[in-house]
Amino acid sequence: MILKDKNVIVGVTASISAYKACELVRALQKDGATVRVALTPRAREFVGEMTFKALTGEEVLWDWRSGKTSLEHIYWARWADAFAIAPVSANTLAKLRFGMADNFLTTLALAYDKPIVLAPAMNTKMFENVATQENLKALSERGHIIVDPACGELACGEEGAGKLADVEDIKTAILYAIFEKPLKGKKVLITAGGTREFFDPIRYISNNSSGKLGHELAKWAYILGADKVYLVSAPTCERKPYCVERYTVNSADEMYQKVMEFVDDVDVIIMNAAVADFKPTSYSSKKLKKDSQELTITLEPNVDILNELGKRKKEGQILIGFAAETEDLEKNAVQKLKKKNLDAIVANKTEVFSSDVFSGKIIFKDGSILEIPPIPKDEAAYRILKEIFSKIR
Ligand code: CTP
């Protein structure tokens, strides 16, 4: 429950995508947040206050008279750890830019003294209009967090930018607004997933790594303030985390080449990928036929990417490895930490590979060990980064 004890206000303006605010409310509650909703008077024509009241169990406000006192905008602003307006219309953006306070939501925005997450949704022409773009630029320069709309088919039938961003991405921006920034000033490279070693056009040797923890680590590296996050991933079903640059590769050799492109540019490298230790010695460009009774595939060792990174580690660079073990977890992990010249290694049992839950140990170069109890992988990613960067600065 990453948002346990956190209070979040979701503001909703008049847009056809107002119904998606219900999903956002649920997503925040799933992570433990207490959520309140503030509507503009016209937003009520799209989704009524009863819906949000039922979802949140909290009072829903849309004008001053709807609150218990005439100071609710001040009390709400003090109460909130984060404030997102999703969807935010062109009209409300213009009001926010000029500090207008003509309804409960805009007044609350004026009383709120931290960055607001703004997720616009509107017709493409309205979004691209110079007025809207200038408003967004001004609000971004003031420190507000803009979650760009997605491209696609809009309710008006036109195609283009203007669809409300994905709820997951808006939630990530809200987490960004809440959490401390121990990774500020750092460029981070993370690898994820199980590499695929092909021996014909459709068949390969791999492992059952889901890539989930690696993707969560990349997401949290952004939330915790990294200036840039590169994610080099083997193919997975995970969606690209918000504000992360992702590159998909197949084999260990491809992963090695991609990692080497970034190695001199980054301050932190986290090798979470389950890299195949061996690859087939030969590759058939034609699909192998089942015309013989037996098929033998010979394997040869792959490059050990982390070992290479350890050899060429530059001054001040932080190198983190993972160790997946079936037995002697600590002993094997310590050996890998030393052999590969790491600052820390995260050791886990192989059971966590295709699970949504992670548990393991972080072992540091100085011998100290930190246990991570079984927790969902998004929380584990936060814990791993937080613990490592409170120890290694
Ligand atoms: N690793 C790597 N390149 C490889 C194999 C592993 O970079 N060819 C990295 C992994 O990303 C991980 C660490 O090395 O961060 C340890 O991986 P693991 O599979 O646990 O151990 P190995 O070093 O491969 O040793 P073994 O398979 O014998 O346990």
Side-chain angles (χ1 to χ4, degrees):
M1 297 290 246
I2 208 80
L3 290 175
K4 189 170 167 282
D5 303 327
K6 298 287 184 214
N7 297 327
V8 181
I9 298 174
V10 174
V12 183
T13 70
S15 156
I16 185 67
S17 60
Y19 71 93
K20 292 186 190 163
C22 301
E23 281 175 45
L24 178 62
V25 167
R26 297 297 286 159
L28 293 165
Q29 287 174 323
K30 219 174 110 217
D31 280 349
T34 304
V35 185
R36 286 184 185 169
V37 174
L39 303 168
T40 58
R42 283 212 42 231
R44 296 169 66 215
E45 293 170 26
F46 290 87
V47 183
E49 64 270 21
M50 272 306 282
T51 304
F52 289 115
K53 203 169 174 172
L55 286 175
T56 61
E58 295 276 328
E59 196 177 21
V60 176
L61 296 186
W62 66 92
D63 82 1
W64 295 275
R65 280 153 305 187
S66 61
K68 287 190 212 85
T69 72
S70 57
L71 288 174
E72 291 304 304
H73 54 291
I74 306 293
Y75 301 146
W76 278 43
R78 285 183 197 151
W79 173 84
D81 296 294
F83 179 19
I85 311 183
V88 60
S89 63
N91 186 36
T92 297
L93 283 173
K95 290 180 189 178
L96 295 179
R97 179 183 177 188
F98 291 103
M100 288 174 69
D102 64 338
N103 61 40
F104 179 76
L105 181 62
T106 50
T107 313
L108 171 62
L110 212 52
Y112 187 76
D113 61 1
K114 289 177 278 192
I116 305 173
V117 173
L118 298 168
M122 62 198 73
N123 162 275
T124 306
K125 301 272 179 334
M126 293 168 75
F127 177 68
E128 287 170 354
N129 191 296
V130 178
T132 305
Q133 288 302 315
E134 283 181 5
N135 292 337
L136 283 166
K137 187 164 174 278
L139 289 162
S140 164
E141 282 167 3
R142 243 176 253 169
H144 297 301
I145 301 157
I146 314 295
V147 188
D148 284 336
C151 288
E153 195 183 325
L154 305 172
C156 55
E158 288 178 25
E159 285 262 338
K163 265 167 86 92
L164 184 69
D166 197 279
V167 165
E168 252 326 287
D169 293 344
I170 301 171
K171 197 178 84 178
T172 302
I174 293 172
L175 294 170
Y176 180 87
I178 292 177
F179 281 83
E180 71 277 23
K181 300 279 169 272
L183 284 168
K184 197 166 169 34
K186 301 239 185 293
K187 288 186 190 166
V188 182
L189 167 64
I190 295 171
T191 64
T195 60
R196 293 179 177 182
E197 312 297 328
F198 280 85
F199 52 90
D200 85 1
I202 50 168
R203 300 188 182 101
Y204 55 83
I205 294 171
S206 190
N207 55 68
N208 70 341
S209 164
S210 62
K212 189 173 172 60
L213 184 65
H215 279 68
E216 287 293 344
L217 284 164
K219 180 183 98 182
W220 277 98
Y222 161 71
I223 294 169
L224 298 181
D227 287 2
K228 186 94 202 169
V229 185
Y230 301 106
L231 174 62
V232 177
S233 178
T236 74
C237 298
E238 297 296 312
R239 65 187 292 277
K240 185 186 90 59
Y242 181 59
C243 284
V244 165
E245 219 169 279
R246 181 171 70 173
Y247 298 87
T248 303
V249 294
N250 275 307
S251 64
D253 285 334
E254 283 178 30
M255 184 170 276
Y256 178 64
Q257 275 166 24
K258 203 72 209 169
V259 163
M260 286 301 150
E261 280 178 31
F262 299 116
V263 68
D264 291 327
D265 186 40
V266 296
D267 310 286
V268 180
I269 304 175
I270 304 177
M271 273 299 300
N272 171 251
V275 186
D277 289 330
F278 292 92
K279 63 181 173 190
T281 46
S282 59
Y283 173 78
S284 161
S285 57
K286 292 196 183 112
K287 186 182 164 216
L288 293 175
K289 291 296 191 190
K290 58 167 185 289
D291 44 17
S292 65
Q293 284 305 306
E294 214 177 82
L295 173 68
T296 306
I297 296 164
T298 32
L299 303 175
E300 61 182 332
N302 257 325
V303 54
D304 189 320
I305 305 172
L306 189 55
N307 204 44
E308 294 305 312
L309 293 171
K311 281 192 224 159
R312 54 168 296 164
K313 193 161 111 174
K314 63 176 185 184
E315 181 68 24
Q317 195 170 48
I318 297 170
L319 194 55
I320 313 293
F322 274 72
E325 308 292 343
T326 47
E327 65 257 309
D328 295 330
L329 183 65
E330 219 170 288
K331 190 171 135 236
N332 288 333
V334 169
Q335 268 171 15
K336 288 175 191 175
L337 172 103
K338 288 185 182 150
K339 182 170 164 252
K340 302 192 187 194
N341 189 21
L342 309 179
D343 295 282
I345 192 157
V346 183
N348 57 265
K349 293 281 197 154
T350 46
E351 285 88 338
V352 308
F353 258 46
S354 50
S355 159
D356 283 340
V357 175
F358 178 90
S359 68
K361 296 168 195 260
I362 308 174
I363 306 173
F364 293 91
K365 193 161 72 173
D366 65 6
S368 55
I369 297 179
L370 216 132
E371 290 275 346
I372 307 206
I375 42 175
K377 282 189 174 166
D378 61 337
E379 272 186 73
Y382 166 63
R383 281 284 298 278
I384 290 168
L385 293 179
K386 189 174 113 154
E387 301 298 355
I388 288 175
F389 287 94
S390 60
K391 197 165 160 73
I392 311 170
R393 286 274 173 194

